[in-house]
Amino acid sequence: KVPTMKMLLLLIAVLSAALLASAAPPTCYSRVLSLSREITESFKELQTSKTVDSCVETLPRLYLDIHNYCVLAKLRDFVAYPGCDRVAEVNELKEKARSLYTILISYCRRDLVFLTDDCNALEIPISPPIEHS
């Protein structure tokens, strides 16, 4: 009976720890990082989509690196870009970019550290390494 009780207590402890770990709120950094990746991916998908308006080709590039101080100017320029207002996907992307900018300058202002201010680095995204199989 004692080993069964120990196993039950161990199981409860493990489940409780797992629930607490998954219930932890996101940090400012993790939220900004995930949102910037989401925006970058959405932009890539938008550019490669065959069904989207041709104005998408004229949009400013939207490669985001939250460790680069120039990301603030990049977000401002993208949100203020006058073209493609008739395309719903672009408006959604602009809204996400506006949210990221607000989070960066308001909520996370003291929590983030910019490692560079190389604006050219945001114009040419770094390609992921090629994996050899």
Side-chain angles (χ1 to χ4, degrees), residues 104-115:
L104 283 168
I105 65 166
S106 298
Y107 304 109
C108 298
R109 185 182 66 218
R110 293 187 182 113
D111 296 343
L112 296 176
V113 175
F114 295 108
L115 304 175

Side-chain angles (χ1 to χ4, degrees), residues 36-68:
S36 69
R37 287 179 178 161
E38 181 183 330
I39 292 169
T40 300
E41 281 304 309
S42 295
F43 182 73
K44 284 180 191 175
E45 290 171 12
L46 184 65
Q47 284 196 314
T48 58
S49 175
K50 305 266 188 259
T51 60
V52 178
D53 197 289
S54 61
C55 73
V56 170
E57 295 172 6
T58 65
L59 288 170
R61 290 184 185 184
L62 196 57
Y63 167 69
L64 303 177
D65 176 4
I66 61 162
H67 303 103
N68 188 332

Side-chain angles (χ1 to χ4, degrees), residues 13-126:
V14 168
L15 288 175
S16 297
L19 287 173
L20 288 175
S22 65
T27 63
C28 229
Y29 177 76
S30 66
R31 177 66 183 129
V32 166
L33 188 61
S34 68
L35 186 54
S36 69
R37 287 179 178 161
E38 181 183 330
I39 292 169
T40 300
E41 281 304 309
S42 295
F43 182 73
K44 284 180 191 175
E45 290 171 12
L46 184 65
Q47 284 196 314
T48 58
S49 175
K50 305 266 188 259
T51 60
V52 178
D53 197 289
S54 61
C55 73
V56 170
E57 295 172 6
T58 65
L59 288 170
R61 290 184 185 184
L62 196 57
Y63 167 69
L64 303 177
D65 176 4
I66 61 162
H67 303 103
N68 188 332
Y69 184 74
C70 292
V71 75
L72 298 173
K74 176 65 81 175
L75 289 167
R76 274 193 314 267
D77 290 348
F78 186 80
V79 169
Y81 189 77
C84 288
D85 288 337
R86 64 186 178 275
V87 179
E89 293 90 344
V90 173
N91 288 330
E92 290 173 22
L93 203 52
K94 283 185 175 185
E95 195 55 42
K96 286 181 183 178
R98 188 177 290 113
S99 295
L100 179 58
Y101 182 80
T102 301
I103 293 169
L104 283 168
I105 65 166
S106 298
Y107 304 109
C108 298
R109 185 182 66 218
R110 293 187 182 113
D111 296 343
L112 296 176
V113 175
F114 295 108
L115 304 175
T116 182
D117 62 353
D118 181 4
C119 296
N120 289 330
L122 295 180
E123 292 301 315
I124 304 168
I126 299 169

Side-chain angles (χ1 to χ4, degrees), residues 1-13:
K1 205 172 188 182
V2 175
T4 306
M5 187 63 123
K6 285 183 180 180
M7 281 300 261
L8 183 59
L9 287 173
L10 180 62
L11 180 63
I12 291 171

